[in-house]
Amino acid sequence: MTAAPPPSPFVATLCERLGVSYGGWDTMSPLPPDKGGPGSLVVFHVDDGSTPPAREEHLQGSGIIREARVFPDRTEVYDGDTLLARYDDLTVMQIFG
């Protein structure tokens, strides 16, 4: 199996601030309307020291998922429905540059 590509700079920043390691997979898409308004949804896998869920070997990433909802004025990071962190200095502008 090949090594996972590195995270995007935005996801690397989120992992660093959350105090977790990158778990090998991330993706970005428009924020769905039911998630709070215009913005981006960043889904990424982390290695937080916990036991990863049982998964098929061919799947990429750790299986431990965090979700960042990125708005024009903030980023909110969730573990399921639990808000883990809010960063007022990380916005949609930082995703791409």
Side-chain angles (χ1 to χ4, degrees):
M1 187 178 291
T2 61
S8 67
F10 185 79
V11 170
T13 298
L14 290 175
C15 288
E16 180 180 332
R17 290 188 183 190
L18 292 169
V20 298
S21 298
Y22 179 62
W25 183 256
D26 62 88
T27 184
M28 298 176 194
S29 64
L31 190 63
D34 66 335
K35 298 287 185 180
S40 295
L41 178 66
V42 180
V43 178
F44 58 106
H45 290 230
V46 300
D47 178 355
D48 64 1
S50 65
T51 303
R55 299 166 23 106
E56 294 187 35
E57 289 184 30
H58 70 276
L59 295 174
Q60 292 182 321
S62 66
I64 303 169
I65 298 170
R66 299 294 180 261
E67 179 180 287
R69 300 173 191 173
V70 188
F71 302 97
D73 63 343
R74 70 189 183 285
T75 293
E76 298 172 349
V77 182
Y78 291 84
D79 177 0
D81 291 331
T82 304
L83 178 64
L84 298 177
R86 176 184 163 137
Y87 302 111
D88 291 334
D89 63 325
L90 294 176
T91 68
V92 291
M93 296 300 292
Q94 280 71 41
I95 289 179
F96 302 107

